[in-house]
Amino acid sequence: NTLDDYEEGTWTASFTAGTGTITKNTSYDLCRYTKVGRLVNVAGRLNVSSVSTPSGEWRITGLPETINNNTDGELSGTATASIWLESLGSSINAHQAYGVAGATDIMIKEFNGTSDANMADKVQAGTNVFFSFTYTV
């Protein structure tokens, strides 16, 4: 076997909310990635500079490659991301994050032990997001 596809670089992440806006701090939006074959690893630190009545889904957007849509049974959008959140606007039970199959997004959800819930309404100015995520393309 030979290594015929290796790439590394940076990418600029953003946030989206179901409704309203979550604006990133452009001093903390540059993320890194490494791609080896079909496997991509991304990591970064993001910071929220302001919000305007966000609600619904909360996503990190702009991954450098589209996540596998699981048509071949390999790792897909159900792959989980490692994430650390600081300075949310209110307390939550727990958080989880996963890649969205066929997209360039990481979904961030609240989790109570039995079900998940949207949490864009928990984000405030000053919220920090540290993450890493490995997925296939």
Side-chain angles (χ1 to χ4, degrees), residues 15 35 37 44 57 59-60 63 76 79 91-92 94 105 112 119-120 128 133-134 136:
F15 293 118
K35 180 178 183 236
E57 294 182 344
R59 295 180 182 211
I60 297 170
L63 294 172
S76 70
S91 62
I92 63 171
D105 302 348
N112 68 10
M119 63 177 288
N128 287 306
F133 178 47
T134 301
T136 59

Side-chain angles (χ1 to χ4, degrees), residues 67 70 74-80 98-101:
I67 298 167
N70 202 29
E74 294 184 11
L75 288 173
S76 70
T78 57
T80 58
Y98 58 89
V100 179

Side-chain angles (χ1 to χ4, degrees), residues 39-111:
L39 195 64
V40 180
N41 183 70
V42 295
R45 174 191 178 199
L46 305 173
N47 176 266
V48 176
S49 64
S50 66
V51 297
S52 178
T53 59
S55 65
E57 294 182 344
W58 180 24
R59 295 180 182 211
I60 297 170
T61 62
L63 294 172
E65 299 277 344
T66 300
I67 298 167
N68 178 2
N69 64 9
N70 202 29
T71 57
D72 55 7
E74 294 184 11
L75 288 173
S76 70
T78 57
T80 58
S82 175
I83 194 160
W84 179 270
L85 304 174
E86 290 181 339
S87 302
L88 291 170
S90 61
S91 62
I92 63 171
N93 292 298
H95 59 270
Q96 59 187 13
Y98 58 89
V100 179
T104 58
D105 302 348
I106 297 172
M107 181 78 71
I108 305 169
K109 296 278 210 171
E110 180 178 5
F111 184 67

